[in-house]
Amino acid sequence: MSTPMSAVSTPGRRPLMTLEEALQRLLQAVQPLPLTVERVPLEEADTRVLAEDVVAALDVPGFDNSQMDGYAVRVADVQAALTADQPLPVTQRVAAGDFGVSLSPGTVARIFTGAPLPAGADAVVMQEEAQIVDPPPGAAQQPAHGWVRLTRVPDRGQWVRRRGEDVACATVALPAGRWLRPADLGVAASLGVPQLSVRRRLRVALAPTGNELVQPGAVPPQALPPGAIYNSSRYLLVPLLRRLGMEVTVLPVLPDERTATERALAEAALRFDAIVTTGGVSVGEADHVKPAVQALGQLDLWQVSMKPGKPFMHGQIDRTRLGGQGTCHVLGLPGNPVSSFVTFVLLARPALLTLAGVAPAPTMPSPLRARVAFDWPRPDARREFVRVRRNAQGELEVFANQNSSVLTSVAWADGLADIPAGVTLARGDEVAYWPLAAFWG
């Protein structure tokens, strides 16, 4: 891998903002919305943000129990039996939901996964390490469940789940601010909690821009007007927002006209917590979102040294100017669909989750390291996020066409390779790699 070259700047222009600087400034400008609590059943709590700590009212598990089907034993008894080459009597059978009696010295208990460990037992031998045998010669009595010969001495505590080792009573099992996922709901259920207190969902408006956009189904492909394109970004971004737990409303396409854009944003600002726009944030004469937000409030940042995704924007609309209270955040994504995707997952996603009350404030997930199975001989002055996927050898293959308008590159990929500005790559070099699942899992 080559050494990154120094940043290139054009005389008279401010250098572009780094991704880290943009994200830092963005998260400094975004604060969680005032707390509004809802009670929802567990099955409806996935992707919600927890409003109150979940404190365990019991130990999980509530008793020492077996991790395996096998035999509950005293380690000293097994040692003695192996030394004497003798089997051990099986005096009781304990299944999940039962509760056995104290284990007498010199005996074992047949036990099944999840069953409580009898008092006196200090290990479990799995059944694969045991042999059912006939009574030894001279045995005075036949135990209720026969005899077993164990083939090895277990370690003390082997295959035993200790009481409270998952969750200890009176501890915080799930902290407030947690963005709930299926495993969290399972933890809550294990504590006997049927409902959770969560924050209300963030209300987000998706506002596409551009006279060229046509809704799929409105016009058949053969009748698509010259210069028109189908609105693909809508169907990319709505599921991404919903996977974050947002309540999403799609606004009519903002026309390429300043007054109409300003009016539509003002109306949306009074109804929604945040507005996500696509297109209209560059420097063209038809890019009206940026000046409209400036007129309604303030513009915080809007150009980032990354590829794709340079023209990202964050602004705030002052609702007090419109007869309301507080502010509405506006996140302006580029118009090209790949640029929209990359800026959404790297910048808009953490900002929206912070607004929704996720704590600690989410940032970019930690990347993995992976070797590339391609050459990257032409460095760019901007940091590049390249669509890649792992092959059978665990190396990263690259999609041939990395143009920011080629949405099939995202559909094909399973991750993004992070190539620093000014860096070239040769096969076998390592790069930072983000699996796409890290951004919505």
Side-chain angles (χ1 to χ4, degrees), residues 205-209 249-254 265 275-279:
L206 179 62
T209 72
T249 299
V250 181
L251 302 182
V253 173
L254 300 181
L265 291 177
I275 303 169
V276 176
T277 66
T278 57

Side-chain angles (χ1 to χ4, degrees), residues 14 85 127 206 258 263 345 358 376 396:
R14 296 177 61 186
D85 193 26
Q127 61 190 21
L206 179 62
R258 166 66 184 278
R263 185 187 308 115
V345 297
V358 174
W376 196 258
L396 303 179

Side-chain angles (χ1 to χ4, degrees), residues 108-264:
V108 303
R110 179 71 166 121
I111 197 165
F112 298 91
T113 303
L117 198 70
D122 56 11
V124 171
V125 176
M126 60 182 180
Q127 61 190 21
E128 290 84 354
E129 295 176 341
Q131 300 170 353
I132 298 172
V133 296
D134 294 331
Q141 58 182 11
Q142 175 66 19
H145 300 281
W147 296 80
V148 67
R149 183 182 297 276
L150 304 178
T151 60
R152 62 182 294 272
V153 180
D155 296 327
R156 204 165 260 104
Q158 177 177 291
W159 303 125
V160 176
R161 292 186 285 228
R162 294 298 183 189
R163 175 176 180 167
E165 75 171 34
D166 189 359
V167 184
C169 184
T171 62
V172 175
L174 299 170
R178 189 172 182 87
W179 181 37
L180 294 169
R181 306 176 193 186
D184 300 317
L185 309 187
V187 169
S190 75
L191 299 170
V193 176
Q195 295 180 320
L196 292 173
S197 295
V198 297
R199 287 176 169 266
R200 72 162 176 84
R201 292 189 187 276
L202 196 71
R203 293 189 288 264
V204 179
L206 179 62
T209 72
N211 293 336
E212 74 278 10
L213 296 181
V214 174
Q215 182 72 4
V219 177
Q222 62 272 20
L224 200 63
I229 60 172
Y230 288 118
N231 183 5
S232 60
S233 291
R234 167 179 177 165
Y235 297 93
L236 172 69
L237 294 171
V238 168
L240 285 172
L241 287 162
R242 287 179 176 159
R243 287 188 183 200
L244 299 183
M246 310 298 167
E247 182 181 301
V248 188
T249 299
V250 181
L251 302 182
V253 173
L254 300 181
D256 291 333
E257 198 274 319
R258 166 66 184 278
T259 301
T261 296
E262 188 172 324
R263 185 187 308 115

Side-chain angles (χ1 to χ4, degrees), residues 171-431:
T171 62
V172 175
L174 299 170
R178 189 172 182 87
W179 181 37
L180 294 169
R181 306 176 193 186
D184 300 317
L185 309 187
V187 169
S190 75
L191 299 170
V193 176
Q195 295 180 320
L196 292 173
S197 295
V198 297
R199 287 176 169 266
R200 72 162 176 84
R201 292 189 187 276
L202 196 71
R203 293 189 288 264
V204 179
L206 179 62
T209 72
N211 293 336
E212 74 278 10
L213 296 181
V214 174
Q215 182 72 4
V219 177
Q222 62 272 20
L224 200 63
I229 60 172
Y230 288 118
N231 183 5
S232 60
S233 291
R234 167 179 177 165
Y235 297 93
L236 172 69
L237 294 171
V238 168
L240 285 172
L241 287 162
R242 287 179 176 159
R243 287 188 183 200
L244 299 183
M246 310 298 167
E247 182 181 301
V248 188
T249 299
V250 181
L251 302 182
V253 173
L254 300 181
D256 291 333
E257 198 274 319
R258 166 66 184 278
T259 301
T261 296
E262 188 172 324
R263 185 187 308 115
L265 291 177
E267 292 173 356
L270 292 172
R271 298 171 51 205
F272 301 98
D273 303 310
I275 303 169
V276 176
T277 66
T278 57
V281 295
S282 192
V283 294
E285 293 180 0
D287 292 327
H288 299 295
V289 171
K290 185 173 69 74
V293 173
Q294 285 176 317
L296 295 168
Q298 67 180 56
L299 192 70
D300 296 321
L301 58 94
W302 68 287
Q303 290 215 334
V304 184
S305 182
M306 57 188 287
K307 182 181 179 181
K310 175 183 171 183
F312 177 84
M313 184 204 76
H314 169 246
Q316 299 178 59
I317 295 176
D318 184 357
R319 292 196 188 106
T320 61
R321 300 184 188 181
L322 308 171
Q325 296 180 333
T327 61
C328 174
H329 290 267
V330 183
L331 300 169
L333 309 181
N336 278 327
V338 180
S339 301
S340 289
F341 174 79
V342 173
T343 51
F344 180 89
V345 297
L346 296 181
L347 289 167
R349 172 186 176 275
L352 291 168
L353 289 175
T354 300
L355 266 180
V358 174
T363 58
M364 291 164 57
S366 298
L368 306 176
R369 300 291 298 180
R371 296 188 184 278
V372 299
F374 58 89
D375 295 322
W376 196 258
R378 290 180 293 278
D380 196 273
R382 287 181 283 162
R383 182 177 180 180
E384 297 187 76
F385 292 93
V386 176
R387 278 74 70 204
V388 295
R389 71 179 179 193
R390 284 185 181 267
N391 60 23
Q393 292 72 44
E395 296 178 324
L396 303 179
E397 297 179 347
V398 66
F399 193 79
N401 190 340
Q402 291 287 318
N403 191 287
S404 61
S405 64
V406 179
L407 190 52
T408 48
S409 68
V410 179
W412 174 89
D414 65 9
L416 298 174
D418 180 0
I419 304 179
V423 164
T424 60
L425 297 175
R427 288 174 181 268
D429 286 343
E430 278 197 349
V431 295

